[in-house]
Amino acid sequence: VQLQASGGGSAQAGGSLRLSCAASGRTFYGYTIAWFRQGPAKEREFVAAIKWSGGTTRYADSVKGRFTISRDFANSMVSLQMSSLRPEDTAIYYCAADRNVILSSITMIGSYDHWGQGTLVTVSS
């Protein structure tokens, strides 16, 4: 599956942005879709994930209560609503997807074979 991420941009601290991830030419049925991010001079880290079938979600502790991952069935997209943004949320955000991702591995980069291009999010103080 080819993934297309969109929606990055700039925001002030405390502001909001919404990212979207679409599957090119197919639906996400049977997939787990995740967002990862890589900040300046940092390793790529897990942000949030959702199972398309059933809607089970997981979040990194650093974004719980501020970010919401959701499914858009009509457009076969996954969105990441980011609120109460902080400067430390500045990063390139990547969406990733794969089938048969077990819950115990849902936060792991190696669980996902399909990656979209990154989209830059910049949060200023």
Side-chain angles (χ1 to χ4, degrees), residues 12-123:
Q12 296 280 337
S16 299
L17 285 171
R18 187 178 185 89
L19 305 182
S20 294
C21 180
S24 177
R26 63 168 301 141
T27 71
F28 278 128
Y29 181 77
Y31 281 79
T32 298
I33 304 93
W35 288 95
F36 291 80
R37 67 186 182 186
Q38 188 163 12
K42 295 182 180 179
E43 294 188 351
R44 194 170 297 190
E45 63 177 3
F46 171 78
V47 176
I50 190 166
K51 287 194 168 289
W52 187 260
S53 303
T56 300
T57 58
R58 291 291 186 271
Y59 295 92
D61 288 344
S62 59
V63 306
K64 272 181 189 174
R66 301 189 299 121
F67 291 11
T68 302
I69 190 169
S70 61
R71 301 164 294 175
D72 179 347
F73 289 107
N75 296 299
S76 195
M77 295 172 64
V78 168
S79 295
L80 184 70
Q81 178 66 44
M82 305 184 295
S83 302
S84 301
L85 284 164
R86 304 168 181 168
E88 53 264 39
D89 294 320
T90 294
I92 299 173
Y93 285 70
Y94 299 90
C95 64
D98 216 315
R99 291 180 175 272
N100 304 317
V101 177
I102 60 175
L103 278 178
S104 60
S105 301
I106 203 169
T107 65
M108 299 179 183
I109 291 173
S111 295
Y112 302 90
D113 283 340
H114 307 283
W115 292 80
Q117 88 291 359
T119 185
L120 178 62
V121 170
T122 303
V123 183

